[in-house]
Amino acid sequence: MHNIVILTGAGISAESGLRTFRADDGLWEEHRVEDVATPEAFARDPALVQRFYDARREQIRAARPNPAHEALARLDREWDGELLIVTQNIDDLHERAGAVRMLHMHGEALSAWCTACDARHGWTGTLGDAPACPSCAAEGDLRPDIVWFGEMPYRMEEIFAALGRADLFVSIGTSGAVYPAAGFVQEAAAHGSRTLELNLERSQGSHLFEETRLGSASELVPRWVDEVLSAQP
Ligand code: NAD
């Protein structure tokens, strides 16, 4: 085994205090997803959407990586083979734990995208007050650099190339409800990869994995990383 691809979802950040999104009520922080996470919602009520992400940004800055993020960062440091952590999360907890070989397929809460000049800027403050773009000075054209429902996820070519080379695909803390990420397990398996799911409960796509381990990410992930590193040739 040489190449590992890991997909993470909101469940890996739950124990850092960031709420997941398809909780039983289907709401994300008291909002319907259609009201805050689609381009239509942004066109209809930009102030509401900006306030929502301003609040997410503040929460993320106050959160800390948990043992699951830390274990994946250790794997990234110590694994000699190829590794790619693909996160659906918009928080920066993987990076803050020290992971480097990773990408955000659904964008980042701590990044702002100027729709006037297309520049992206690291952003820790608010966007609801229509700040000027640091590149082109346009006011009110910065939006959260987030892939909303109906938009194309980032870096898909790179992800599918890695899935095509994977010997092991591991999905952590994701409900398997959001495509295209939910289809990665089939893509990896079709190329001969082993597949493992680590989640609190069985996800919608559980039956597609060779193995599922149930439990909290902060317990399962460090244990799995120890296992993989101790078997490293
Ligand atoms: P989801 O909310 O749909 O599913 C979360 C999954 O994590 C569930 O299957 C749940 O059983 C599991 N889970 C909950 N607590 C866990 C724990 N302690 N340990 C292990 N597993 C646990 O999340 P998703 O599949 O990532 O869904 C999609 C979208 O939600 C993404 O596009 C993402 O951008 C957005 N989102 C991101 C964040 C974040 O960045 N932290 C938070 C909420 C939602």
Side-chain angles (χ1 to χ4, degrees), residues 12-33:
I12 198 167
S13 297
E15 291 162 272
S16 294
L18 301 177
R19 280 163 68 182
T20 62
F21 146 109
R22 264 156 218 272
D24 292 340
D25 54 9
L27 299 179
W28 188 8
E29 298 281 355
E30 324 308 338
H31 291 274
R32 291 189 320 149
V33 168

Side-chain angles (χ1 to χ4, degrees), residues 72-87:
L72 291 188
R74 175 173 169 240
L75 182 66
D76 184 15
R77 276 193 306 276
E78 298 181 14
W79 181 248
D80 295 331
E82 206 178 308
L83 176 94
L84 180 64
I85 301 169
V86 177
T87 190

Side-chain angles (χ1 to χ4, degrees), residues 8-15 18-23 28 60 88-91 106 146-147 149 172-178 198-203 215-218:
T8 67
I12 198 167
S13 297
E15 291 162 272
L18 301 177
R19 280 163 68 182
T20 62
F21 146 109
R22 264 156 218 272
W28 188 8
I60 288 168
Q88 299 171 87
N89 293 344
I90 60 172
D91 66 54
H106 290 163
I146 303 281
V147 176
F149 285 91
I172 304 172
T174 173
S175 62
V178 179
L198 307 177
N199 208 33
L200 196 58
E201 58 197 8
R202 285 194 171 276
S203 67
S216 71
S218 68

Side-chain angles (χ1 to χ4, degrees), residues 12-137:
I12 198 167
S13 297
E15 291 162 272
S16 294
L18 301 177
R19 280 163 68 182
T20 62
F21 146 109
R22 264 156 218 272
D24 292 340
D25 54 9
L27 299 179
W28 188 8
E29 298 281 355
E30 324 308 338
H31 291 274
R32 291 189 320 149
V33 168
E34 308 86 282
D35 294 337
V36 291
T38 65
E40 294 77 17
F42 188 54
R44 201 166 50 235
D45 193 346
L48 170 74
V49 174
Q50 294 284 24
R51 267 200 312 277
F52 178 78
Y53 286 98
D54 283 351
R56 301 288 71 73
R57 221 171 282 120
E58 206 175 303
Q59 259 180 350
I60 288 168
R61 292 184 66 202
R64 296 280 168 268
N66 69 53
H69 300 103
E70 281 156 10
L72 291 188
R74 175 173 169 240
L75 182 66
D76 184 15
R77 276 193 306 276
E78 298 181 14
W79 181 248
D80 295 331
E82 206 178 308
L83 176 94
L84 180 64
I85 301 169
V86 177
T87 190
Q88 299 171 87
N89 293 344
I90 60 172
D91 66 54
D92 63 344
L93 297 180
H94 284 303
E95 297 93 305
R96 273 157 64 195
V100 176
R101 291 183 278 178
M102 63 149 310
L103 60 83
H104 285 271
M105 65 176 287
H106 290 163
E108 299 172 59
L110 300 179
S111 171
W113 171 26
C114 179
T115 52
C117 74
D118 205 33
R120 288 179 161 83
H121 295 277
W123 208 267
T124 51
T126 51
L127 290 176
D129 46 346
C133 169
S135 297
C136 73

